Amino acid sequence: METPANDNNATPAQRALDALVENTDDTAALDTLANSEVLVPVPDDALEEEAADPSAVALPVLEEPDGRPVVPVFTSELEMTELLPFVSRYRLVPLGALASQWPSDDLSLTIDGSSAHGLTLTSDGVRTLLARPR
């Protein structure tokens, strides 16, 4: 199957992820990613008021096979439905803004986790690599 990043419909964030697969130190790709909006699934147990509040984002937390908690975000609806086909709501959030408020615990972030260009970062990596001044 051809990934969306390999066709003309790839988003800038997907192209940045592809570049980071080749070179993890690509600062231009990191900047593009940090300045991109990502889809953050709204947890099923989030109240409607919480889901609509522009000042807060309820983070969906999944458990990795090794037990580590991870927050999945996506560069497109297609990427999201491949991993989480039953998600009914999501929010568009600037990744850099999300990263600048990332908790300091062991919560990781995975971007397009089911794709060939997926990227998972530790909490330190999220704050260090993706948080950008607003």
Side-chain angles (χ1 to χ4, degrees):
M1 180 174 119
E2 189 170 326
T3 62
N6 290 335
D7 68 14
N8 294 331
N9 295 324
T11 66
Q14 290 167 336
R15 288 191 291 275
L17 287 170
D18 284 339
L20 289 168
V21 167
E22 299 297 320
N23 176 9
T24 57
D25 295 325
D26 186 329
T27 55
L30 287 168
D31 286 344
T32 297
L33 198 56
N35 290 306
S36 296
E37 287 189 329
V38 292
L39 286 68
V40 178
V42 174
D44 289 336
D45 59 352
L47 300 174
E48 194 61 41
E49 305 84 57
E50 293 171 338
D53 183 354
S55 66
V57 176
L59 298 176
V61 179
L62 303 178
E63 191 172 295
E64 292 281 359
D66 63 4
R68 290 180 306 160
V70 63
V71 173
V73 298
F74 303 92
T75 57
S76 70
E77 286 183 359
L78 177 63
E79 294 290 348
M80 185 173 64
T81 57
E82 284 186 19
L83 185 64
L84 302 173
F86 301 109
V87 168
S88 59
R89 302 181 293 174
Y90 64 85
R91 304 240 338 240
L92 275 175
V93 178
L95 187 55
L98 184 65
S100 69
Q101 299 177 31
W102 200 256
S104 60
D105 58 10
D106 292 332
L107 189 62
S108 296
L109 173 76
T110 188
I111 306 167
D112 289 352
S114 66
S115 74
H117 61 237
L119 175 67
T120 299
L121 296 169
T122 64
S123 59
D124 286 338
V126 172
R127 290 187 310 277
T128 304
L129 299 174
L130 298 177
R132 298 290 190 261
R134 290 192 245 175

